[in-house]
Amino acid sequence: MTALIVEDLVAGYGDARVLHGVSLDVGEGEICAILGPNGAGKTTLLRALCGMVRARGAVRLGEVSLTGRSPDAVARLGVAHVPEGRGTFMPLTVEENLRLGAYVRRGKSDVDADLDRIYTYFPVLKTRLKQAAGSLSGGEQQMLALGRALMLRPRVLLLDEPSLGLAPLVTRELFRIVQAINEEERTTVVVVEQNAHLALGIAQQAHVLETGRIVLSGTAEQIRADEQVAQSYLGYRV
């Protein structure tokens, strides 16, 4: 089954067009990596998928159209977005941030059980429950942002530069957890990431975006073996 279908997506800000007819499919339970240089339109793509940016074209979650829906409506349908810069509510506590993740969920009876589920992935958060989110380290804030998104019980998880500003050890642990979430919960993941090595290491498929257009698509192994990608993003020659 296909979880996410994007067809001829055009998006931008005001009169400035950023995406020029992007099309891609992501299978149910797959991890899809979106690679490309700064300014390629990767963040705009995720924002368009979750309704934050006005777009033309088609975006479907399975058989359900997301085109033209508000971010709130898209979230209710099961798409969770972890934006670049984490987007946590700094004055609120860790627990308050996590509970906000379940705000748009229809069934809220199992919120406490879901909190326990989040703590199995991020045990450090359980030790910080009453602590303000703004007092956490960068890595802990990213874990909190991801945990809050998981409280939605999403069908599709959109991650925008999850490694940004994090130490390499923390980044590797974060990607290990994302892979575990994908495998254990069959959550479909679309990850925009500058660290192509890590992204391709957990992904099944990948797309390279340049100047708002997809210029290369394939399995993660195919993309990793491509000489142009290797030189531009992985730092070696094939």
Side-chain angles (χ1 to χ4, degrees):
M1 292 180 60
T2 303
L4 187 67
I5 301 168
V6 181
E7 295 177 340
D8 200 24
L9 191 66
V10 175
Y13 306 92
D15 295 330
R17 184 178 293 184
V18 178
L19 301 180
H20 306 274
V22 170
S23 297
L24 57 89
D25 295 346
V26 185
E28 195 83 46
E30 283 189 341
I31 299 179
C32 172
I34 306 294
L35 310 177
N38 290 332
K42 304 186 301 295
T43 290
T44 300
L45 173 59
L46 295 194
R47 289 176 177 173
L49 296 181
C50 67
M52 292 177 64
V53 174
R54 189 172 298 175
R56 290 188 288 107
V59 180
R60 296 196 302 277
L61 183 66
E63 299 300 318
V64 179
S65 174
L66 303 182
T67 309
R69 296 182 187 265
S70 67
D72 179 74
V74 173
R76 289 179 188 278
L77 289 169
V79 178
H81 179 220
V82 180
E84 181 180 355
R86 298 158 197 138
T88 51
F89 297 94
M90 297 300 187
L92 300 184
T93 67
V94 167
E95 183 177 6
E96 289 168 339
N97 268 276
L98 290 173
R99 289 185 179 277
L100 275 175
Y103 177 72
V104 300
R105 234 171 64 188
R106 289 175 182 169
K108 300 181 182 178
S109 58
D110 297 328
V111 168
D112 288 340
D114 281 336
L115 284 172
D116 289 335
R117 171 176 135 263
I118 300 306
Y119 301 147
T120 64
Y121 290 120
F122 307 108
V124 68
L125 296 182
K126 192 171 184 178
T127 69
R128 306 277 198 272
L129 283 184
K130 303 306 178 184
Q131 199 169 319
S135 67
L136 301 180
S137 69
E140 290 167 347
Q141 287 184 29
Q142 189 62 275
M143 291 176 186
L144 177 58
L146 184 51
R148 189 183 64 200
L150 292 176
M151 288 294 290
L152 180 66
R153 291 187 183 174
R155 180 175 171 185
V156 174
L157 180 62
L158 307 177
L159 302 178
D160 194 356
E161 300 286 5
S163 73
L164 187 67
L166 303 185
L169 188 63
V170 176
T171 298
R172 286 194 294 272
E173 174 63 10
L174 193 68
F175 272 73
R176 184 195 65 78
I177 294 169
V178 170
Q179 188 172 27
I181 291 166
N182 167 256
E183 292 174 351
E184 294 169 13
E185 305 193 16
R186 300 305 297 161
T187 304
T188 302
V189 180
V190 180
V191 55
V192 162
E193 179 55 54
Q194 287 289 337
N195 190 326
H197 271 295
L198 280 177
L200 292 173
I202 67 170
Q204 286 80 45
Q205 63 159 298
H207 304 275
V208 178
L209 199 63
E210 286 188 1
T211 60
R213 295 176 174 85
I214 290 180
V215 296
L216 192 63
S217 297
T219 67
E221 290 182 0
Q222 290 170 337
I223 299 298
R224 189 187 293 112
D226 186 274
E227 185 169 1
Q228 179 184 353
V229 175
Q231 290 187 55
S232 299
Y233 307 114
L234 303 179
Y236 62 82
R237 297 178 66 88
V238 174

